[in-house]
Amino acid sequence: RPSMYGWIMSLPVLFLVTGIFNIKATEVTSSMTRNVWKNVRTLLVWVIALIIYYTSGDMDIGEAWIFPTSLYRLIGFVIMSAGILTYYWNKEREVGKEMN
């Protein structure tokens, strides 16, 4: 299958490019921004998969919203994101206090 060979050849390139962008993003901004973006990227991929599933008409692609499993994933994502944001928010406050 030619399409399978395309995937096999393009995925390592995609991973390489993603890694380079992650390194550059950390250089330009901070590791906090990179970690927050990683979580937003996860959410973005999930939302796109849901949109593809419900708009394509092809039930073999995308991802369906399955109750309650999808709700548990969403709640877990919110808790994880809130923890990361709280950690970095408190870390910035501590660094600000040390500088004063």
Side-chain angles (χ1 to χ4, degrees):
R1 295 177 64 178
S3 63
M4 184 62 75
Y5 294 123
W7 276 106
I8 291 171
M9 298 303 289
S10 62
L11 278 177
V13 173
L14 176 65
F15 296 151
L16 175 67
V17 170
T18 301
I20 291 170
F21 280 128
N22 283 335
I23 291 168
K24 292 298 179 184
T26 303
E27 287 176 2
V28 173
T29 58
S30 68
S31 61
M32 176 183 121
T33 304
R34 180 174 175 249
N35 287 336
V36 170
W37 172 244
K38 282 173 33 179
N39 288 325
V40 170
R41 185 176 58 201
T42 301
L43 181 64
L44 185 64
V45 168
W46 191 36
V47 167
I48 290 171
L50 287 168
I51 291 170
I52 289 171
Y53 182 83
Y54 288 108
T55 60
S56 70
D58 185 358
M59 299 302 160
D60 291 333
I61 59 174
E63 182 173 341
W65 179 272
I66 301 171
F67 189 82
T69 308
S70 296
L71 182 62
Y72 297 152
R73 287 182 189 169
L74 181 61
I75 290 169
F77 178 82
V78 168
I79 291 170
M80 179 181 65
S81 298
I84 289 170
L85 292 173
T86 301
Y87 171 79
Y88 283 115
W89 181 71
N90 286 328
K91 189 174 182 177
E92 282 184 9
R93 284 183 36 194
E94 288 177 9
V95 170
K97 287 179 184 177
E98 290 175 2
M99 295 180 89
N100 291 332

